[in-house]
Amino acid sequence: MAINTDQVLVSHSEIEQMLERLSSEINRDYGDEPLVVVGILTGAFIFTADLVRRLEMPVIVDFMQVSSYVGEFSTGELKIKKDMSYDIKDMNVLIVEDIVDTGRTLALLKELLLKRQPKSLKICTAFDKPSRRVIDLVPDYNGITVPDEFIVGYGLDLDGRYRDFDDIRIVRKE
Ligand code: 5GP
Ligand code: MG
């Protein structure tokens, strides 16, 4: 089976416009207050790098690597592969994610980070697939809403590949 990634869904210039809009919303909302930005590895590494360079407040950049599993008798469990290194107690925290799909990962992560008593906790996602949501989770900052297609590029992968594309493409298996 061949993988076709010819179809561009979001161009690089649309991504740049999205970055400008999101960063101005975030700059407006936090003002000069310090912000801990938590990028979710691996998918959000490029988005996090692009976003933090447009932020104007003092920023601490940290990363976590997590995934969610749905067991037979549970609504989902969070597996932490890499925790963050910074203590977020009494800090403003912004989780930066590549894409929100079912919402499970972020719902569980939010629950976990809230126990660490941050001053505030918000979510910023580059892409959102609301049609796939199973958990009621609305990102505070949403870049671009995408249809129910598997997308790659701009950090998002298929089996580790295509993260380096500077645009977003739809995967077709043919
Ligand atoms: P969920 O919201 O379902 O808990 O999980 C979201 C995660 O699933 C994302 O962080 C991403 O890793 C992966 N994901 C969901 N949709 C896509 C997609 O269209 N393309 C890629 N590459 N990953 C996706
Ligand atoms: Mg992810």
Side-chain angles (χ1 to χ4, degrees):
M1 197 171 44
I3 306 277
N4 177 320
T5 57
D6 289 343
Q7 194 186 339
V8 176
L9 179 69
V10 183
S11 69
H12 185 64
S13 74
E14 288 172 294
I15 291 176
E16 302 241 282
Q17 286 169 35
M18 174 264 275
L19 286 163
E20 282 305 312
R21 179 175 55 78
L22 287 179
S23 57
S24 49
E25 286 175 26
I26 296 167
N27 285 326
R28 179 202 62 205
D29 290 354
Y30 292 90
D32 294 331
E33 290 210 35
L35 184 63
V36 181
V37 173
V38 188
I40 305 306
L41 294 171
T42 302
F45 79 111
I46 293 177
F47 179 46
T48 305
D50 280 349
L51 190 68
V52 293
R53 283 179 288 177
R54 289 172 167 83
L55 297 184
E56 288 160 3
M57 72 290 287
V59 159
I60 286 170
V61 182
D62 209 336
F63 288 96
M64 279 183 90
Q65 190 160 23
V66 295
S67 50
S68 62
Y69 286 90
V70 186
E72 207 178 338
F73 302 106
S74 71
T75 50
E77 246 178 82
L78 192 70
K79 187 178 169 207
I80 303 178
K81 270 202 200 159
K82 182 215 174 292
D83 205 338
M84 51 191 302
S85 11
Y86 195 78
D87 181 8
I88 57 170
K89 190 169 191 306
D90 299 327
M91 299 293 296
N92 292 313
V93 177
L94 183 65
I95 300 171
V96 175
E97 178 62 300
D98 52 357
I99 183 166
V100 187
D101 189 40
T102 63
R104 282 197 180 98
T105 311
L106 282 181
L108 293 165
L109 181 62
K110 216 175 154 177
E111 199 179 291
L112 174 86
L113 294 187
L114 280 174
K115 289 184 192 149
R116 301 180 184 178
Q117 300 176 296
K119 180 176 175 186
S120 68
L121 182 62
K122 287 193 186 181
I123 292 171
C124 174
T125 188
F127 305 100
D128 190 9
K129 242 190 236 179
S131 57
R132 296 252 314 159
R133 205 73 98 248
V134 298
I135 283 182
D136 185 20
L137 182 120
V138 181
D140 301 278
Y141 304 98
N142 174 26
I144 294 170
T145 299
V146 296
D148 183 10
E149 300 273 8
F150 194 82
I151 59 172
V152 292
Y154 196 65
L156 287 95
D157 74 312
L158 173 64
D159 297 331
R161 287 197 62 195
Y162 314 118
R163 294 192 197 277
D164 53 314
F165 290 173
D166 70 356
D167 51 15
I168 288 287
R169 287 153 184 265
I170 294 176
V171 172
R172 301 257 182 251
K173 296 185 176 176
E174 31 192 54

